[in-house]
Amino acid sequence: MESSRQTGHRPEVHRVAVIGTGLIGTSIALALRSHGVDVLLSDPDPASLRLACDRGAGRPLDREPQGRPADVAMIAAPPAVVPAVLREAQDRGLAHVYTDAASVKASVAAEAERLGCDMATFVPGHPMGGREKQGPGAARADLFLGRSWALCPTGKADAASTALVAEIARLCGADPLVVDAAAHDRAVALVSHAPHVASSAVAARLLAGDETALSLAGQGVRDVTRVAGGDPALWTEILAHNAAPVADVLHAVAADLAAAAEALRGAAAGDGGRDPSALEPVRDLLARGRGGHGRIPGKHGTVRRPDYTVIPVVIPDEPGALGRLFAAAADAGVNIEDVRIEHTPGLPLGVAELYVLPGAVDILALALSDGGWSVHPGA
């Protein structure tokens, strides 16, 4: 099935029930509350529910008298429990339309149908956003801003139900994308699930690193291993539900790494380091990696621009420093297209790498220098 963007009339969403107040559920609830949506919350963990409510994500569902159904019930739970939670919610008549946020779709939909769920009111979904931190305390209203949000209708729900779930995505700042469930699972194996395993494989090597090696860790290894901080139990479940597509990607990654390792081993054993052809597998992998990186969509879903210029700015490691830097850029009339921060171990400062359009480099550099910032264009 070809993927397609949702367009057309936007339905109104007044009340949403969010079942599951972890990172994803609470972030969705916070985003909906920012648009004035009435949000009811439920979670089997009382502490998680209480924290989500205290953060302003909504009010407890179980304290509400049985009244009119919600427009949508969002099930923000691990894949293994979504079908049973869906069946229970439908039996209660909790909402007119139901959706979920699990990161695999084909197995969830199949199990929901096996349990006798009403597939005419269920629109499986997956917001493409997350953090390595878990729980309602890590939730953010802007977690899905600018992200894709997959919708995988089974063909039994009508267009109005799909449109209602698409509106939930838009209210969270995401871009709804209709895609077949099997195609979705193959896609997330490539762009999310296998990368998580690869990140964990790199991070696992750090257990054998001594203090000298770890003290030399820079932004590169932090970037590569960031998602490895996720919950192993949750990720084991996710991978189990999408095992075959993830295995296919990992086998291909492993083949590339094995070829690179063999070439490097040969170079180390002989004179191959001076023979350009000996390291061709390594060069080929690096070149393909650079090409693949360039295909990752960037701002507004467009392909990453190759012509941004980076301006390094030294910033103090103190509250409000980054906000003041952004405010200075705004005063100069320059938009920051992207930003990365390199922390300096052992020192109370870091470097903010500001990505701007080439034509704005001189303007921003001058404005920041005049404002007392330590700016290093061209560094």
Side-chain angles (χ1 to χ4, degrees):
M1 174 179 173
E2 293 290 330
S3 63
S4 60
R5 297 285 171 177
Q6 288 287 317
T7 58
H9 174 68
R10 294 180 60 169
E12 294 185 0
V13 177
H14 300 287
R15 174 179 285 191
V16 173
V18 176
I19 305 174
T21 55
L23 168 68
I24 301 299
T26 305
S27 293
I28 291 171
L30 288 170
L32 295 175
R33 288 294 302 130
S34 71
H35 289 280
V37 177
D38 183 20
V39 178
L40 303 175
L41 301 173
S42 175
D43 196 284
D45 181 356
S48 179
L49 176 61
R50 185 167 57 252
L51 178 54
C53 292
D54 288 347
R55 293 200 58 194
R59 63 185 193 280
L61 173 63
D62 60 6
R63 296 182 187 174
E64 291 296 307
Q66 187 66 34
R68 61 183 175 86
D71 297 311
V72 177
M74 164 64 70
I75 303 171
V81 303
V82 167
V85 174
L86 171 63
R87 177 62 191 268
E88 180 185 5
Q90 289 181 333
D91 288 346
R92 293 173 57 189
L94 189 60
H96 295 293
V97 177
Y98 301 82
T99 187
D100 75 307
S103 63
V104 289
K105 296 275 70 88
S107 62
V108 168
E111 179 63 11
E113 191 155 18
R114 191 191 70 80
L115 287 181
C117 296
D118 179 9
M119 304 305 285
T121 61
F122 178 45
V123 181
H126 177 208
M128 296 300 296
R131 303 182 67 188
E132 65 276 14
K133 299 179 181 179
Q134 299 298 316
R140 293 169 28 180
D142 64 349
L143 187 64
F144 310 107
L145 187 64
R147 305 287 187 176
S148 292
W149 189 306
L151 304 180
C152 305
T154 63
K156 297 185 178 181
D158 60 25
S161 297
T162 302
L164 197 58
V165 177
E167 183 61 13
I168 296 291
R170 292 193 185 95
L171 289 173
C172 292
D175 186 12
L177 172 67
V178 174
V179 61
D180 174 76
H184 164 275
D185 290 355
R186 290 192 300 271
V188 295
L190 177 65
V191 302
S192 176
H193 299 169
H196 189 99
V197 179
S199 173
S200 296
V202 175
R205 297 301 92 212
L206 300 179
L207 292 174
D210 58 24
E211 291 302 316
T212 299
L214 295 177
S215 68
L216 295 175
Q219 193 60 40
V221 73
R222 289 185 175 88
D223 287 345
V224 170
T225 62
R226 180 185 61 81
V227 297
D231 179 11
L234 173 62
W235 271 97
T236 299
E237 179 180 330
I238 290 170
L239 294 169
H241 279 262
N242 202 22
V246 175
D248 289 343
V249 178
L250 290 179
H251 276 304
V253 171
D256 276 338
L257 293 176
E262 187 67 21
L264 290 168
R265 186 70 67 191
D271 197 33
R274 301 192 191 98
D275 180 1
S277 64
L279 291 180
E280 186 55 36
V282 178
R283 185 180 295 104
D284 174 67
L285 177 58
L286 295 175
R288 286 188 288 119
R290 183 177 184 180
H293 177 265
R295 295 193 65 201
I296 298 174
K299 190 177 175 183
H300 307 308
T302 58
V303 174
R304 184 185 299 274
R305 295 181 59 121
D307 56 352
Y308 289 153
T309 299
V310 179
I311 302 180
V313 181
V314 177
I315 59 172
D317 186 8
E318 61 185 28
L322 195 57
R324 294 196 302 273
L325 179 60
F326 277 18
D331 289 343
V334 175
N335 187 51
I336 305 300
E337 305 292 340
D338 201 355
V339 62
R340 293 178 62 180
I341 299 176
E342 175 78 32
H343 296 283
T344 305
L347 294 176
L349 51 84
V351 175
E353 297 180 340
L354 307 181
Y355 289 69
V356 300
L357 293 173
V361 171
D362 291 341
I363 297 172
L364 182 59
L366 179 61
L368 294 179
S369 296
D370 287 347
W373 295 93
S374 178
V375 185
H376 301 270

